[in-house]
PDB file of all heavy atoms in Angstrom:
ATOM      1  N   GLU A   1       0.817  -1.239   0.020  1.00  0.00           N
ATOM      2  CA  GLU A   1       0.060   0.036  -0.027  1.00  0.00           C
ATOM      3  C   GLU A   1       0.957   1.244   0.018  1.00  0.00           C
ATOM      4  O   GLU A   1       1.991   1.195   0.452  1.00  0.00           O
ATOM      5  CB  GLU A   1      -0.893   0.050   1.261  1.00  0.00           C
ATOM      6  CG  GLU A   1      -1.891  -1.167   1.338  1.00  0.00           C
ATOM      7  CD  GLU A   1      -2.650  -1.188   2.691  1.00  0.00           C
ATOM      8  OE1 GLU A   1      -2.463  -0.212   3.403  1.00  0.00           O
ATOM      9  OE2 GLU A   1      -3.433  -2.105   2.779  1.00  0.00           O
ATOM     10  N   ARG A   2       0.283   2.270  -0.542  1.00  0.00           N
ATOM     11  CA  ARG A   2       1.013   3.628  -0.374  1.00  0.00           C
ATOM     12  C   ARG A   2       1.018   4.214   0.964  1.00  0.00           C
ATOM     13  O   ARG A   2       0.292   3.552   1.840  1.00  0.00           O
ATOM     14  CB  ARG A   2       0.331   4.517  -1.358  1.00  0.00           C
ATOM     15  CG  ARG A   2       0.596   4.140  -2.831  1.00  0.00           C
ATOM     16  CD  ARG A   2      -0.084   5.258  -3.757  1.00  0.00           C
ATOM     17  NE  ARG A   2       0.106   4.925  -5.119  1.00  0.00           N
ATOM     18  CZ  ARG A   2       1.185   5.243  -5.898  1.00  0.00           C
ATOM     19  NH1 ARG A   2       2.159   5.909  -5.231  1.00  0.00           N
ATOM     20  NH2 ARG A   2       1.246   4.860  -7.155  1.00  0.00           N
ATOM     21  N   GLY A   3       1.604   5.233   1.246  1.00  0.00           N
ATOM     22  CA  GLY A   3       1.547   5.924   2.468  1.00  0.00           C
ATOM     23  C   GLY A   3       2.273   5.369   3.605  1.00  0.00           C
ATOM     24  O   GLY A   3       3.423   5.115   3.579  1.00  0.00           O
ATOM     25  N   ARG A   4       1.450   4.926   4.671  1.00  0.00           N
ATOM     26  CA  ARG A   4       2.126   4.405   6.000  1.00  0.00           C
ATOM     27  C   ARG A   4       2.981   3.165   5.693  1.00  0.00           C
ATOM     28  O   ARG A   4       4.051   3.120   6.218  1.00  0.00           O
ATOM     29  CB  ARG A   4       1.100   4.084   6.998  1.00  0.00           C
ATOM     30  CG  ARG A   4       1.598   3.724   8.401  1.00  0.00           C
ATOM     31  CD  ARG A   4       0.498   3.345   9.219  1.00  0.00           C
ATOM     32  NE  ARG A   4      -0.315   2.328   8.787  1.00  0.00           N
ATOM     33  CZ  ARG A   4       0.120   0.973   8.894  1.00  0.00           C
ATOM     34  NH1 ARG A   4       1.306   0.683   9.401  1.00  0.00           N
ATOM     35  NH2 ARG A   4      -0.649   0.072   8.513  1.00  0.00           N
ATOM     36  N   VAL A   5       2.580   2.236   4.752  1.00  0.00           N
ATOM     37  CA  VAL A   5       3.308   0.988   4.596  1.00  0.00           C
ATOM     38  C   VAL A   5       4.602   1.316   4.018  1.00  0.00           C
ATOM     39  O   VAL A   5       5.610   0.834   4.454  1.00  0.00           O
ATOM     40  CB  VAL A   5       2.465   0.082   3.778  1.00  0.00           C
ATOM     41  CG1 VAL A   5       3.323  -1.196   3.394  1.00  0.00           C
ATOM     42  CG2 VAL A   5       1.103  -0.316   4.383  1.00  0.00           C
ATOM     43  N   VAL A   6       4.544   2.158   2.946  1.00  0.00           N
ATOM     44  CA  VAL A   6       5.793   2.494   2.349  1.00  0.00           C
ATOM     45  C   VAL A   6       6.666   3.278   3.347  1.00  0.00           C
ATOM     46  O   VAL A   6       7.985   3.021   3.403  1.00  0.00           O
ATOM     47  CB  VAL A   6       5.590   3.487   1.030  1.00  0.00           C
ATOM     48  CG1 VAL A   6       6.857   4.062   0.557  1.00  0.00           C
ATOM     49  CG2 VAL A   6       4.794   2.701   0.157  1.00  0.00           C
ATOM     50  N   THR A   7       6.154   4.167   4.161  1.00  0.00           N
ATOM     51  CA  THR A   7       7.084   4.883   5.196  1.00  0.00           C
ATOM     52  C   THR A   7       7.741   3.894   6.065  1.00  0.00           C
ATOM     53  O   THR A   7       8.802   4.091   6.556  1.00  0.00           O
ATOM     54  CB  THR A   7       6.171   5.870   5.884  1.00  0.00           C
ATOM     55  OG1 THR A   7       5.543   6.684   5.019  1.00  0.00           O
ATOM     56  CG2 THR A   7       6.968   6.649   6.931  1.00  0.00           C
ATOM     57  N   ASP A   8       6.900   2.852   6.540  1.00  0.00           N
ATOM     58  CA  ASP A   8       7.407   1.914   7.523  1.00  0.00           C
ATOM     59  C   ASP A   8       8.579   1.083   6.804  1.00  0.00           C
ATOM     60  O   ASP A   8       9.578   0.839   7.560  1.00  0.00           O
ATOM     61  CB  ASP A   8       6.319   0.930   7.889  1.00  0.00           C
ATOM     62  CG  ASP A   8       5.216   1.597   8.857  1.00  0.00           C
ATOM     63  OD1 ASP A   8       5.600   2.620   9.294  1.00  0.00           O
ATOM     64  OD2 ASP A   8       4.230   0.985   8.980  1.00  0.00           O
ATOM     65  N   LEU A   9       8.411   0.770   5.587  1.00  0.00           N
ATOM     66  CA  LEU A   9       9.591  -0.029   4.953  1.00  0.00           C
ATOM     67  C   LEU A   9      10.755   0.866   4.725  1.00  0.00           C
ATOM     68  O   LEU A   9      11.898   0.353   5.004  1.00  0.00           O
ATOM     69  CB  LEU A   9       8.991  -0.441   3.445  1.00  0.00           C
ATOM     70  CG  LEU A   9       7.955  -1.595   3.404  1.00  0.00           C
ATOM     71  CD1 LEU A   9       7.493  -1.621   2.060  1.00  0.00           C
ATOM     72  CD2 LEU A   9       8.609  -2.870   3.914  1.00  0.00           C
ATOM     73  N   VAL A  10      10.566   2.085   4.383  1.00  0.00           N
ATOM     74  CA  VAL A  10      11.762   2.906   4.260  1.00  0.00           C
ATOM     75  C   VAL A  10      12.379   3.144   5.591  1.00  0.00           C
ATOM     76  O   VAL A  10      13.624   3.068   5.770  1.00  0.00           O
ATOM     77  CB  VAL A  10      11.309   4.348   3.633  1.00  0.00           C
ATOM     78  CG1 VAL A  10      12.460   5.301   3.693  1.00  0.00           C
ATOM     79  CG2 VAL A  10      10.883   4.071   2.188  1.00  0.00           C
ATOM     80  N   ALA A  11      11.543   3.424   6.618  1.00  0.00           N
ATOM     81  CA  ALA A  11      12.201   3.526   7.918  1.00  0.00           C
ATOM     82  C   ALA A  11      12.985   2.245   8.465  1.00  0.00           C
ATOM     83  O   ALA A  11      14.046   2.405   8.953  1.00  0.00           O
ATOM     84  CB  ALA A  11      11.075   3.876   8.964  1.00  0.00           C
ATOM     85  N   LYS A  12      12.389   1.143   8.069  1.00  0.00           N
ATOM     86  CA  LYS A  12      12.963   0.007   8.553  1.00  0.00           C
ATOM     87  C   LYS A  12      14.371  -0.331   7.790  1.00  0.00           C
ATOM     88  O   LYS A  12      15.452  -0.679   8.388  1.00  0.00           O
ATOM     89  CB  LYS A  12      12.098  -1.263   8.190  1.00  0.00           C
ATOM     90  CG  LYS A  12      12.682  -2.687   8.629  1.00  0.00           C
ATOM     91  CD  LYS A  12      11.676  -3.643   8.276  1.00  0.00           C
ATOM     92  CE  LYS A  12      12.232  -5.033   8.680  1.00  0.00           C
ATOM     93  NZ  LYS A  12      11.297  -6.156   8.365  1.00  0.00           N
ATOM     94  N   ALA A  13      14.355   0.050   6.452  1.00  0.00           N
ATOM     95  CA  ALA A  13      15.735  -0.030   5.740  1.00  0.00           C
ATOM     96  C   ALA A  13      16.594   0.970   6.239  1.00  0.00           C
ATOM     97  O   ALA A  13      17.830   0.590   6.393  1.00  0.00           O
ATOM     98  CB  ALA A  13      15.314   0.219   4.245  1.00  0.00           C
ATOM     99  N   LEU A  14      16.207   2.050   6.614  1.00  0.00           N
ATOM    100  CA  LEU A  14      17.206   3.145   7.093  1.00  0.00           C
ATOM    101  C   LEU A  14      17.734   2.705   8.408  1.00  0.00           C
ATOM    102  O   LEU A  14      18.933   2.946   8.694  1.00  0.00           O
ATOM    103  CB  LEU A  14      16.514   4.537   7.176  1.00  0.00           C
ATOM    104  CG  LEU A  14      16.121   5.212   5.906  1.00  0.00           C
ATOM    105  CD1 LEU A  14      15.292   6.555   6.113  1.00  0.00           C
ATOM    106  CD2 LEU A  14      17.354   5.624   5.191  1.00  0.00           C
ATOM    107  N   GLN A  15      16.879   2.056   9.286  1.00  0.00           N
ATOM    108  CA  GLN A  15      17.400   1.667  10.520  1.00  0.00           C
ATOM    109  C   GLN A  15      18.485   0.486  10.333  1.00  0.00           C
ATOM    110  O   GLN A  15      19.524   0.530  11.034  1.00  0.00           O
ATOM    111  CB  GLN A  15      16.198   1.056  11.435  1.00  0.00           C
ATOM    112  CG  GLN A  15      16.650   0.562  12.774  1.00  0.00           C
ATOM    113  CD  GLN A  15      17.181   1.640  13.697  1.00  0.00           C
ATOM    114  OE1 GLN A  15      16.827   2.735  13.462  1.00  0.00           O
ATOM    115  NE2 GLN A  15      18.159   1.269  14.476  1.00  0.00           N
ATOM    116  N   ARG A  16      18.281  -0.329   9.391  1.00  0.00           N
ATOM    117  CA  ARG A  16      19.271  -1.303   9.069  1.00  0.00           C
ATOM    118  C   ARG A  16      20.520  -0.700   8.698  1.00  0.00           C
ATOM    119  O   ARG A  16      21.585  -1.146   9.018  1.00  0.00           O
ATOM    120  CB  ARG A  16      18.748  -2.360   8.208  1.00  0.00           C
ATOM    121  CG  ARG A  16      17.714  -3.368   8.661  1.00  0.00           C
ATOM    122  CD  ARG A  16      17.433  -4.544   7.774  1.00  0.00           C
ATOM    123  NE  ARG A  16      16.966  -4.158   6.453  1.00  0.00           N
ATOM    124  CZ  ARG A  16      15.531  -4.214   6.224  1.00  0.00           C
ATOM    125  NH1 ARG A  16      14.686  -4.584   7.180  1.00  0.00           N
ATOM    126  NH2 ARG A  16      15.170  -3.890   5.054  1.00  0.00           N
ATOM    127  N   LYS A  17      20.421   0.234   7.752  1.00  0.00           N
ATOM    128  CA  LYS A  17      21.651   0.954   7.269  1.00  0.00           C
ATOM    129  C   LYS A  17      22.305   1.614   8.486  1.00  0.00           C
ATOM    130  O   LYS A  17      23.713   1.557   8.486  1.00  0.00           O
ATOM    131  CB  LYS A  17      21.273   2.119   6.347  1.00  0.00           C
ATOM    132  CG  LYS A  17      20.619   1.598   5.082  1.00  0.00           C
ATOM    133  CD  LYS A  17      21.636   1.321   4.070  1.00  0.00           C
ATOM    134  CE  LYS A  17      21.014   0.849   2.688  1.00  0.00           C
ATOM    135  NZ  LYS A  17      21.902   0.533   1.715  1.00  0.00           N
ATOM    136  N   LYS A  18      21.575   2.111   9.346  1.00  0.00           N
ATOM    137  CA  LYS A  18      22.247   2.891  10.544  1.00  0.00           C
ATOM    138  C   LYS A  18      22.937   1.834  11.434  1.00  0.00           C
ATOM    139  O   LYS A  18      24.087   2.014  12.008  1.00  0.00           O
ATOM    140  CB  LYS A  18      21.144   3.526  11.292  1.00  0.00           C
ATOM    141  CG  LYS A  18      21.669   4.376  12.495  1.00  0.00           C
ATOM    142  CD  LYS A  18      20.609   5.244  13.143  1.00  0.00           C
ATOM    143  CE  LYS A  18      21.051   5.910  14.380  1.00  0.00           C
ATOM    144  NZ  LYS A  18      19.980   6.744  15.034  1.00  0.00           N
ATOM    145  N   GLU A  19      22.442   0.529  11.611  1.00  0.00           N
ATOM    146  CA  GLU A  19      23.011  -0.436  12.430  1.00  0.00           C
ATOM    147  C   GLU A  19      24.309  -0.917  11.841  1.00  0.00           C
ATOM    148  O   GLU A  19      25.240  -1.374  12.479  1.00  0.00           O
ATOM    149  CB  GLU A  19      21.988  -1.617  12.598  1.00  0.00           C
ATOM    150  CG  GLU A  19      20.882  -1.189  13.536  1.00  0.00           C
ATOM    151  CD  GLU A  19      19.883  -2.334  13.647  1.00  0.00           C
ATOM    152  OE1 GLU A  19      20.172  -3.367  12.878  1.00  0.00           O
ATOM    153  OE2 GLU A  19      18.893  -2.299  14.252  1.00  0.00           O
ATOM    154  N   GLY A  20      24.350  -0.868  10.475  1.00  0.00           N
ATOM    155  CA  GLY A  20      25.584  -1.279   9.816  1.00  0.00           C
ATOM    156  C   GLY A  20      25.668  -2.606   9.381  1.00  0.00           C
ATOM    157  O   GLY A  20      24.922  -3.637   9.773  1.00  0.00           O
ATOM    158  N   VAL A  21      26.591  -2.936   8.439  1.00  0.00           N
ATOM    159  CA  VAL A  21      26.857  -4.258   7.856  1.00  0.00           C
ATOM    160  C   VAL A  21      27.212  -5.249   8.860  1.00  0.00           C
ATOM    161  O   VAL A  21      26.825  -6.431   8.867  1.00  0.00           O
ATOM    162  CB  VAL A  21      27.770  -4.080   6.671  1.00  0.00           C
ATOM    163  CG1 VAL A  21      28.010  -5.556   6.092  1.00  0.00           C
ATOM    164  CG2 VAL A  21      27.279  -3.167   5.539  1.00  0.00           C
ATOM    165  N   LYS A  22      28.211  -4.792   9.814  1.00  0.00           N
ATOM    166  CA  LYS A  22      28.689  -5.721  10.606  1.00  0.00           C
ATOM    167  C   LYS A  22      27.748  -6.395  11.556  1.00  0.00           C
ATOM    168  O   LYS A  22      27.731  -7.670  11.811  1.00  0.00           O
ATOM    169  CB  LYS A  22      29.750  -4.969  11.471  1.00  0.00           C
ATOM    170  CG  LYS A  22      30.717  -5.973  12.277  1.00  0.00           C
ATOM    171  CD  LYS A  22      31.513  -6.801  11.345  1.00  0.00           C
ATOM    172  CE  LYS A  22      32.597  -7.699  12.104  1.00  0.00           C
ATOM    173  NZ  LYS A  22      33.340  -8.508  11.123  1.00  0.00           N
ATOM    174  N   SER A  23      26.805  -5.623  12.114  1.00  0.00           N
ATOM    175  CA  SER A  23      25.768  -6.115  13.041  1.00  0.00           C
ATOM    176  C   SER A  23      24.963  -7.098  12.304  1.00  0.00           C
ATOM    177  O   SER A  23      24.535  -8.213  12.817  1.00  0.00           O
ATOM    178  CB  SER A  23      24.988  -5.010  13.552  1.00  0.00           C
ATOM    179  OG  SER A  23      23.834  -5.470  14.381  1.00  0.00           O
ATOM    180  N   SER A  24      24.376  -6.811  11.057  1.00  0.00           N
ATOM    181  CA  SER A  24      23.632  -7.650  10.215  1.00  0.00           C
ATOM    182  C   SER A  24      24.392  -8.984   9.970  1.00  0.00           C
ATOM    183  O   SER A  24      23.809 -10.078   9.969  1.00  0.00           O
ATOM    184  CB  SER A  24      23.179  -7.014   8.994  1.00  0.00           C
ATOM    185  OG  SER A  24      22.316  -7.768   8.167  1.00  0.00           O
ATOM    186  N   GLN A  25      25.586  -8.785   9.581  1.00  0.00           N
ATOM    187  CA  GLN A  25      26.384  -9.957   9.202  1.00  0.00           C
ATOM    188  C   GLN A  25      26.514 -10.928  10.378  1.00  0.00           C
ATOM    189  O   GLN A  25      26.451 -12.135  10.159  1.00  0.00           O
ATOM    190  CB  GLN A  25      27.780  -9.524   8.654  1.00  0.00           C
ATOM    191  CG  GLN A  25      28.677 -10.611   8.186  1.00  0.00           C
ATOM    192  CD  GLN A  25      29.982 -10.168   7.805  1.00  0.00           C
ATOM    193  OE1 GLN A  25      30.791  -9.721   8.736  1.00  0.00           O
ATOM    194  NE2 GLN A  25      30.299 -10.143   6.572  1.00  0.00           N
ATOM    195  N   ASN A  26      26.839 -10.339  11.594  1.00  0.00           N
ATOM    196  CA  ASN A  26      26.939 -11.229  12.816  1.00  0.00           C
ATOM    197  C   ASN A  26      25.647 -12.035  13.016  1.00  0.00           C
ATOM    198  O   ASN A  26      25.731 -13.142  13.539  1.00  0.00           O
ATOM    199  CB  ASN A  26      27.248 -10.400  13.902  1.00  0.00           C
ATOM    200  CG  ASN A  26      28.796  -9.885  13.954  1.00  0.00           C
ATOM    201  OD1 ASN A  26      29.613 -10.524  13.319  1.00  0.00           O
ATOM    202  ND2 ASN A  26      29.166  -8.754  14.528  1.00  0.00           N
ATOM    203  N   ARG A  27      24.401 -11.432  12.951  1.00  0.00           N
ATOM    204  CA  ARG A  27      23.171 -12.047  13.121  1.00  0.00           C
ATOM    205  C   ARG A  27      23.119 -13.268  12.168  1.00  0.00           C
ATOM    206  O   ARG A  27      22.695 -14.403  12.546  1.00  0.00           O
ATOM    207  CB  ARG A  27      22.045 -11.194  12.956  1.00  0.00           C
ATOM    208  CG  ARG A  27      21.936 -10.146  14.140  1.00  0.00           C
ATOM    209  CD  ARG A  27      20.488  -9.568  14.058  1.00  0.00           C
ATOM    210  NE  ARG A  27      20.286  -8.732  12.956  1.00  0.00           N
ATOM    211  CZ  ARG A  27      20.669  -7.515  12.820  1.00  0.00           C
ATOM    212  NH1 ARG A  27      21.124  -6.781  13.944  1.00  0.00           N
ATOM    213  NH2 ARG A  27      20.459  -6.744  11.721  1.00  0.00           N
TER     214      ARG A  27
END
């Protein structure tokens, strides 16, 4: 859906970027 769903996806992606590759890789 447009709107809130898209905003949530973008926010989630930005949060993963902020946490960094190393953290995601370790998981």
Side-chain angles (χ1 to χ4, degrees):
E1 299 175 0
R2 292 180 180 275
R4 184 182 60 79
V5 175
V6 173
T7 303
D8 290 345
L9 286 172
V10 173
K12 184 179 179 182
L14 289 173
Q15 179 62 32
R16 285 195 295 266
K17 296 276 187 181
K18 185 176 180 181
E19 291 175 357
V21 175
K22 194 67 176 177
S23 176
S24 179
Q25 185 185 67
N26 286 336
R27 287 196 295 271

